[in-house]
Amino acid sequence: MATDGGKPWALISDAGERGILEQSMDILRQHFRIVRLQDLLADPAAHGPKIQVLFIWLQLPKATPELLTLLPALKVIASGGAGYDHLDLPYLTRLGVRVANTPGVVSECTADMAMGLLLASARNIVEGHQMMMDPKTTVLPQWLGSVEVSGSTLGIIGMGNIGSKIAKRAKGFDMKILYYNRNRRSVEEEEALGAIYCGNKADLLGRSDFVTLAVCLTPETTGLIGATELALMKPTATLINISRGPVVDQDALVKALQGGTIRAAALDVTYPEPLPRDHPLLAVPNVLITPHFGTSTITTMRKMTQKMVNNALAAMKGESMPDELKC
Ligand SMILES: O=C(O)C(=O)CO
């Protein structure tokens, strides 16, 4: 399996992607020789033909046809994270490139992120911090209009790996949990999660104080939350999105926030990422936006990298990959 008398060559994105690569380089280098995107692009003829593995973190580098044309020997794409909407599986299959993601290892920290956004938004933590950093603040604020988390109702849309980890956490906060999912979970699972199934989305939206989205991005979930759905939510409710930006119709969200249709939104994902500086979502006061860093803990990044390496090594040996994606 080795090329050039040594370890196989793998392509990664340029250095410094939020420190992710530097956290993981030791794991990669145990098994692969690494080419960075900038070096490939500077001399495609020298580097392109030797690359057999493409590692993708947080959707970078983008597996565009232009990039793939430079990689005639590519055998496998090992992508980090649960979502794989950035990969065109039918196209890659036609090219003979095998693909894997890392679903299991990202659930805990992505669920933490959902709870972090929920708490920060409910308790106006960012506003409070900004006040304390402002030299003009000389008196402690008495009132920031926070909402109570304990005893409130959380609606989870998408009860997969991440959704169920969110439910587990919300139970610890004494929240009432509703969920909506393509397939109902078993009674035993529902009992363990303390979650009540809502047969339709409208019912969940109307009853929840917090609605969190934990679905994959697919044609069916694109625009899942639009003007109609936002209008069904309570005016005191908060929308939390840790899935993918296009699951929410952002124009409708801006209008809903401006018009007070819902109280607030807390988003780890948007489209595009990052939003352009003049995007109207950045001008509404009741929104909290973070830079799609649901998986960005040092521990999870390293677990993800190890999984990506395991997947890639299996493919290089012609074995089935632990997390192989098929179309
Ligand atoms: O796992 C993923 O795909 C994520 O984007 C988590 O934030």
Side-chain angles (χ1 to χ4, degrees), residues 285-319:
N286 38 355
V287 69
L288 171 58
I289 303 180
T290 51
H292 195 158
F293 58 5
T295 54
S296 303
T297 67
I298 295 168
T299 305
T300 293
M301 278 298 160
R302 290 185 64 79
K303 282 187 191 163
M304 250 163 60
T305 304
Q306 190 59 63
K307 275 253 177 193
M308 291 158 74
V309 163
N310 295 348
N311 282 320
L313 289 175
M316 293 299 295
K317 287 186 207 144
E319 294 170 1

Short mmCIF file of all heavy atoms in Angstrom, two decimals, residues 285-319:
data_model
loop_
_atom_site.label_atom_id
_atom_site.label_comp_id
_atom_site.label_asym_id
_atom_site.label_seq_id
_atom_site.Cartn_x
_atom_site.Cartn_y
_atom_site.Cartn_z
N PRO A 285 -30.61 42.45 16.97
CA PRO A 285 -29.98 42.34 18.28
C PRO A 285 -30.18 40.99 18.97
O PRO A 285 -29.36 40.57 19.76
CB PRO A 285 -30.67 43.45 19.10
CG PRO A 285 -31.95 43.72 18.38
CD PRO A 285 -31.75 43.36 16.94
N ASN A 286 -31.27 40.31 18.65
CA ASN A 286 -31.61 39.10 19.40
C ASN A 286 -31.10 37.82 18.74
O ASN A 286 -31.77 36.80 18.74
CB ASN A 286 -33.13 39.02 19.63
CG ASN A 286 -33.90 39.52 18.41
OD1 ASN A 286 -33.30 40.00 17.45
ND2 ASN A 286 -35.20 39.40 18.44
N VAL A 287 -29.88 37.92 18.19
CA VAL A 287 -29.30 36.72 17.59
C VAL A 287 -27.89 36.51 18.16
O VAL A 287 -27.17 37.47 18.42
CB VAL A 287 -29.27 36.82 16.04
CG1 VAL A 287 -28.30 37.87 15.55
CG2 VAL A 287 -28.94 35.49 15.40
N LEU A 288 -27.55 35.24 18.37
CA LEU A 288 -26.22 34.88 18.85
C LEU A 288 -25.63 33.95 17.79
O LEU A 288 -26.26 32.95 17.45
CB LEU A 288 -26.35 34.16 20.20
CG LEU A 288 -25.14 33.51 20.81
CD1 LEU A 288 -24.02 34.52 21.02
CD2 LEU A 288 -25.50 32.87 22.15
N ILE A 289 -24.46 34.31 17.26
CA ILE A 289 -23.88 33.49 16.18
C ILE A 289 -22.47 33.07 16.57
O ILE A 289 -21.66 33.90 16.98
CB ILE A 289 -23.84 34.26 14.84
CG1 ILE A 289 -25.26 34.72 14.47
CG2 ILE A 289 -23.26 33.39 13.73
CD1 ILE A 289 -25.36 35.50 13.17
N THR A 290 -22.20 31.78 16.43
CA THR A 290 -20.84 31.28 16.68
C THR A 290 -20.31 30.65 15.39
O THR A 290 -21.09 30.33 14.48
CB THR A 290 -20.84 30.25 17.84
OG1 THR A 290 -21.84 29.26 17.58
CG2 THR A 290 -21.11 30.91 19.17
N PRO A 291 -18.98 30.45 15.30
CA PRO A 291 -18.36 30.10 14.00
C PRO A 291 -18.32 28.60 13.67
O PRO A 291 -17.27 28.08 13.37
CB PRO A 291 -16.96 30.68 14.14
CG PRO A 291 -16.67 30.62 15.59
CD PRO A 291 -17.97 30.80 16.32
N HIS A 292 -19.47 27.94 13.69
CA HIS A 292 -19.55 26.51 13.36
C HIS A 292 -18.41 25.75 14.07
O HIS A 292 -17.58 25.11 13.42
CB HIS A 292 -19.48 26.30 11.83
CG HIS A 292 -19.92 24.93 11.41
ND1 HIS A 292 -20.36 24.63 10.16
CD2 HIS A 292 -19.96 23.74 12.09
CE1 HIS A 292 -20.67 23.34 10.08
NE2 HIS A 292 -20.43 22.79 11.25
N PHE A 293 -18.42 25.88 15.40
CA PHE A 293 -17.35 25.17 16.12
C PHE A 293 -17.90 24.12 17.09
O PHE A 293 -17.30 23.84 18.13
CB PHE A 293 -16.33 26.11 16.75
CG PHE A 293 -16.79 27.14 17.74
CD1 PHE A 293 -18.10 27.20 18.18
CD2 PHE A 293 -15.88 28.08 18.24
CE1 PHE A 293 -18.50 28.15 19.10
CE2 PHE A 293 -16.26 29.04 19.15
CZ PHE A 293 -17.58 29.07 19.58
N GLY A 294 -19.02 23.49 16.66
CA GLY A 294 -19.62 22.43 17.47
C GLY A 294 -18.66 21.28 17.79
O GLY A 294 -18.73 20.68 18.86
N THR A 295 -17.75 20.99 16.87
CA THR A 295 -16.84 19.85 17.10
C THR A 295 -15.44 20.29 17.55
O THR A 295 -14.55 19.45 17.70
CB THR A 295 -16.66 19.03 15.81
OG1 THR A 295 -16.24 19.91 14.78
CG2 THR A 295 -17.93 18.33 15.40
N SER A 296 -15.27 21.58 17.73
CA SER A 296 -13.89 22.09 17.85
C SER A 296 -13.28 22.01 19.25
O SER A 296 -12.64 22.96 19.67
CB SER A 296 -13.83 23.53 17.35
OG SER A 296 -14.30 23.60 16.05
N THR A 297 -13.51 20.93 19.96
CA THR A 297 -12.73 20.79 21.19
C THR A 297 -11.45 20.02 20.83
O THR A 297 -11.44 19.25 19.85
CB THR A 297 -13.48 19.99 22.28
OG1 THR A 297 -13.64 18.65 21.83
CG2 THR A 297 -14.84 20.59 22.58
N ILE A 298 -10.42 20.20 21.60
CA ILE A 298 -9.16 19.53 21.30
C ILE A 298 -9.38 18.01 21.32
O ILE A 298 -8.94 17.29 20.43
CB ILE A 298 -8.07 19.96 22.31
CG1 ILE A 298 -7.79 21.46 22.12
CG2 ILE A 298 -6.80 19.13 22.15
CD1 ILE A 298 -6.95 22.08 23.22
N THR A 299 -10.12 17.55 22.34
CA THR A 299 -10.34 16.11 22.47
C THR A 299 -11.08 15.55 21.26
O THR A 299 -10.69 14.52 20.69
CB THR A 299 -11.15 15.83 23.76
OG1 THR A 299 -10.45 16.43 24.84
CG2 THR A 299 -11.35 14.36 24.02
N THR A 300 -12.15 16.21 20.87
CA THR A 300 -12.94 15.68 19.75
C THR A 300 -12.18 15.79 18.44
O THR A 300 -12.24 14.88 17.60
CB THR A 300 -14.31 16.39 19.68
OG1 THR A 300 -15.04 16.02 20.83
CG2 THR A 300 -15.09 15.99 18.44
N MET A 301 -11.44 16.88 18.27
CA MET A 301 -10.66 16.99 17.03
C MET A 301 -9.67 15.83 16.90
O MET A 301 -9.49 15.28 15.83
CB MET A 301 -9.89 18.32 17.02
CG MET A 301 -10.73 19.47 16.56
SD MET A 301 -11.27 19.19 14.86
CE MET A 301 -12.66 20.30 14.79
N ARG A 302 -9.07 15.46 18.01
CA ARG A 302 -8.10 14.36 17.95
C ARG A 302 -8.81 13.02 17.73
O ARG A 302 -8.35 12.19 16.95
CB ARG A 302 -7.23 14.33 19.21
CG ARG A 302 -6.27 15.53 19.26
CD ARG A 302 -5.31 15.46 20.43
NE ARG A 302 -4.40 14.34 20.39
CZ ARG A 302 -3.29 14.27 19.65
NH1 ARG A 302 -2.96 15.28 18.87
NH2 ARG A 302 -2.52 13.21 19.68
N LYS A 303 -9.97 12.85 18.37
CA LYS A 303 -10.74 11.60 18.14
C LYS A 303 -11.17 11.53 16.69
O LYS A 303 -11.14 10.47 16.07
CB LYS A 303 -11.99 11.60 19.03
CG LYS A 303 -11.75 11.24 20.47
CD LYS A 303 -13.09 11.10 21.16
CE LYS A 303 -12.98 11.01 22.64
NZ LYS A 303 -14.25 11.27 23.32
N MET A 304 -11.61 12.66 16.16
CA MET A 304 -12.05 12.70 14.77
C MET A 304 -10.90 12.34 13.84
O MET A 304 -11.04 11.55 12.92
CB MET A 304 -12.50 14.14 14.43
CG MET A 304 -13.96 14.28 14.23
SD MET A 304 -14.52 15.99 14.31
CE MET A 304 -13.67 16.81 13.05
N THR A 305 -9.73 12.93 14.10
CA THR A 305 -8.58 12.68 13.25
C THR A 305 -8.20 11.20 13.29
O THR A 305 -7.91 10.59 12.26
CB THR A 305 -7.38 13.55 13.70
OG1 THR A 305 -7.83 14.90 13.68
CG2 THR A 305 -6.19 13.39 12.78
N GLN A 306 -8.24 10.61 14.50
CA GLN A 306 -7.90 9.19 14.61
C GLN A 306 -8.88 8.34 13.78
O GLN A 306 -8.49 7.41 13.08
CB GLN A 306 -7.92 8.76 16.08
CG GLN A 306 -7.36 7.39 16.33
CD GLN A 306 -5.89 7.25 15.85
OE1 GLN A 306 -5.02 7.93 16.36
NE2 GLN A 306 -5.64 6.40 14.86
N LYS A 307 -10.17 8.70 13.86
CA LYS A 307 -11.20 7.99 13.09
C LYS A 307 -10.95 8.15 11.59
O LYS A 307 -11.11 7.21 10.81
CB LYS A 307 -12.58 8.57 13.40
CG LYS A 307 -13.22 8.00 14.61
CD LYS A 307 -14.32 7.12 14.09
CE LYS A 307 -15.09 6.35 15.09
NZ LYS A 307 -15.90 5.34 14.42
N MET A 308 -10.61 9.38 11.20
CA MET A 308 -10.36 9.63 9.77
C MET A 308 -9.18 8.79 9.28
O MET A 308 -9.21 8.20 8.21
CB MET A 308 -10.08 11.13 9.55
CG MET A 308 -11.30 12.00 9.78
SD MET A 308 -10.89 13.71 10.15
CE MET A 308 -10.38 14.32 8.57
N VAL A 309 -8.15 8.73 10.11
CA VAL A 309 -6.97 7.93 9.77
C VAL A 309 -7.35 6.45 9.68
O VAL A 309 -6.97 5.75 8.73
CB VAL A 309 -5.85 8.17 10.82
CG1 VAL A 309 -4.78 7.10 10.76
CG2 VAL A 309 -5.24 9.55 10.61
N ASN A 310 -8.15 5.96 10.64
CA ASN A 310 -8.56 4.55 10.61
C ASN A 310 -9.35 4.24 9.34
O ASN A 310 -9.15 3.20 8.70
CB ASN A 310 -9.43 4.19 11.83
CG ASN A 310 -8.66 4.30 13.13
OD1 ASN A 310 -7.44 4.42 13.12
ND2 ASN A 310 -9.36 4.30 14.25
N ASN A 311 -10.25 5.15 8.99
CA ASN A 311 -11.03 4.96 7.76
C ASN A 311 -10.12 4.92 6.54
O ASN A 311 -10.24 4.04 5.68
CB ASN A 311 -12.06 6.09 7.60
CG ASN A 311 -13.27 5.90 8.51
OD1 ASN A 311 -13.75 4.80 8.68
ND2 ASN A 311 -13.77 6.99 9.09
N ALA A 312 -9.20 5.88 6.48
CA ALA A 312 -8.32 5.97 5.31
C ALA A 312 -7.42 4.74 5.21
O ALA A 312 -7.24 4.18 4.13
CB ALA A 312 -7.48 7.24 5.39
N LEU A 313 -6.89 4.28 6.35
CA LEU A 313 -5.99 3.11 6.32
C LEU A 313 -6.75 1.87 5.86
O LEU A 313 -6.22 1.06 5.08
CB LEU A 313 -5.38 2.87 7.71
CG LEU A 313 -4.34 3.89 8.16
CD1 LEU A 313 -3.90 3.61 9.60
CD2 LEU A 313 -3.12 3.90 7.23
N ALA A 314 -8.00 1.73 6.33
CA ALA A 314 -8.81 0.57 5.90
C ALA A 314 -9.00 0.61 4.39
O ALA A 314 -8.83 -0.41 3.70
CB ALA A 314 -10.16 0.58 6.62
N ALA A 315 -9.31 1.78 3.86
CA ALA A 315 -9.53 1.89 2.40
C ALA A 315 -8.24 1.59 1.64
O ALA A 315 -8.26 0.92 0.61
CB ALA A 315 -10.04 3.28 2.05
N MET A 316 -7.12 2.04 2.18
CA MET A 316 -5.85 1.80 1.50
C MET A 316 -5.51 0.30 1.45
O MET A 316 -4.84 -0.17 0.56
CB MET A 316 -4.70 2.56 2.20
CG MET A 316 -4.80 4.06 2.10
SD MET A 316 -4.75 4.67 0.42
CE MET A 316 -3.12 4.19 -0.05
N LYS A 317 -6.03 -0.43 2.46
CA LYS A 317 -5.79 -1.89 2.48
C LYS A 317 -6.86 -2.63 1.69
O LYS A 317 -6.89 -3.86 1.68
CB LYS A 317 -5.81 -2.39 3.93
CG LYS A 317 -4.60 -2.00 4.74
CD LYS A 317 -4.70 -2.70 6.12
CE LYS A 317 -3.97 -1.92 7.17
NZ LYS A 317 -4.60 -1.94 8.49
N GLY A 318 -7.82 -1.88 1.14
CA GLY A 318 -8.90 -2.52 0.39
C GLY A 318 -9.96 -3.14 1.29
O GLY A 318 -10.78 -3.94 0.87
N GLU A 319 -9.93 -2.74 2.59
CA GLU A 319 -10.93 -3.28 3.52
C GLU A 319 -12.12 -2.35 3.61
O GLU A 319 -12.05 -1.21 3.15
CB GLU A 319 -10.29 -3.40 4.92
CG GLU A 319 -9.17 -4.41 4.96
CD GLU A 319 -8.38 -4.35 6.26
OE1 GLU A 319 -8.71 -3.53 7.15
OE2 GLU A 319 -7.42 -5.13 6.37
#
